[in-house]
Amino acid sequence: RTVPIEDSAAPILDAEGRLLGAVLVFHDVTEKRRAEEALRHSEERLRFQRERMPIGCIVHDEELRFVEINPAAERIFGYRAEELIGRHVRVIVPPEARPHVDAILRRLADGDMTAHSVNENLTRDGRIILCSWLNTPLRDSDGKFLGLLSMVQDVTEHKRIEDALRQSDAHFRALAEALPQIVWTSDAEGGITWLNPRRDFGSDLRL
């Protein structure tokens, strides 16, 4: 069978410095190569998963500069990865959102694992979007801060729909409360969930 080896050599010299021979040392590195191959496969799988993730995945270094950006994050912010690598996170934070974001980043650097955020961000073409951030501080075995792993989603449309529904509900209630007729909403089982504030309903209607 073939075994991978690493070798080293040292010359053997006489008293006058003439070469008499050499000492050769061979090491069987089969397990080392297996471990390296397993690590390479693991890194490839992780890279593949990051690239196929439907949400943005970003890695920042200890200075909060971009180190890795997956395709989903590129689509969210409109930048190619190479345009952001090495730049500070502030490039995607509008000025009015920076005090909030800076406070979140300080908490993460201090070890707060719950310092997540929903805040405004800035795209490459100047649009303001609303993003939800799930952040994890990265540390070495001594606890030294090494950077951040962040998952990010653009929730601009979701927030717009929520606001529209809230406004629609408020408009409906204002209109219904002003009507002299009885107005109510009910659930799927027919139970009344809301009743406009009339005082002459009689005793048959109950929430």
Side-chain angles (χ1 to χ4, degrees):
R1 67 192 176 96
T2 301
V3 176
I5 62 169
E6 289 181 351
D7 62 84
S8 59
I12 301 174
L13 306 175
D14 63 15
E16 296 178 358
R18 292 189 295 266
L19 180 66
L20 299 178
V23 176
L24 299 176
V25 179
F26 299 93
H27 300 279
D28 181 348
V29 293
T30 303
E31 290 304 316
K32 177 183 177 183
R33 293 288 174 83
R34 285 176 181 166
E36 289 174 345
E37 187 70 8
L39 177 60
R40 185 177 65 81
H41 285 309
S42 176
E43 290 175 342
E44 287 178 353
R45 285 195 300 270
L46 183 59
R47 178 179 56 81
F48 179 79
Q49 291 169 354
R50 282 199 305 265
E51 290 180 352
R52 297 297 295 268
M53 287 174 64
I55 64 174
C57 179
I58 299 174
V59 178
H60 294 99
D61 66 13
E62 68 277 8
E63 300 295 330
L64 302 176
R65 295 172 299 218
F66 289 92
V67 175
E68 296 180 23
I69 304 115
N70 75 340
E74 289 180 316
R75 291 190 294 272
I76 289 173
F77 298 109
Y79 287 94
R80 297 190 305 277
E82 57 267 27
E83 293 179 294
L84 285 178
I85 299 247
R87 299 178 70 179
H88 194 273
V89 66
R90 280 192 165 204
V91 70
I92 60 168
V93 182
E96 57 272 18
R98 287 178 182 174
H100 169 77
V101 172
D102 287 346
I104 292 292
L105 295 173
R106 283 194 297 271
R107 287 171 55 193
L108 288 164
D110 289 341
D112 187 346
M113 300 292 288
T114 66
H116 310 313
S117 178
V118 175
N119 56 262
E120 290 183 338
N121 284 105
L122 188 64
T123 66
R124 190 179 189 276
D125 60 6
R127 290 180 298 112
I128 300 294
I129 59 175
L130 190 68
C131 291
S132 174
W133 293 83
L134 182 65
N135 305 299
T136 302
L138 304 175
R139 299 184 177 280
D140 64 14
S141 58
D142 296 324
K144 180 184 177 182
F145 180 69
L146 299 178
L148 291 176
L149 171 64
S150 298
M151 302 295 179
V152 56
Q153 288 183 283
D154 181 353
V155 296
T156 307
E157 184 63 14
H158 178 74
K159 181 65 163 55
R160 186 192 68 77
I161 292 172
E162 277 188 345
D163 289 346
L165 288 173
R166 189 160 40 247
Q167 291 174 6
S168 177
D169 182 65
H171 179 72
F172 163 76
R173 287 177 180 265
L175 179 62
E177 289 174 359
L179 291 174
Q181 293 85 6
I182 299 172
V183 181
W184 73 89
T185 61
S186 61
D187 57 27
E189 286 73 38
I192 296 174
T193 58
W194 182 82
L195 203 60
N196 66 334
R198 289 288 307 278
R199 295 292 177 265
D200 54 352
F201 296 144
S203 59
D204 293 332
L205 292 176
R206 295 288 186 271
L207 288 177

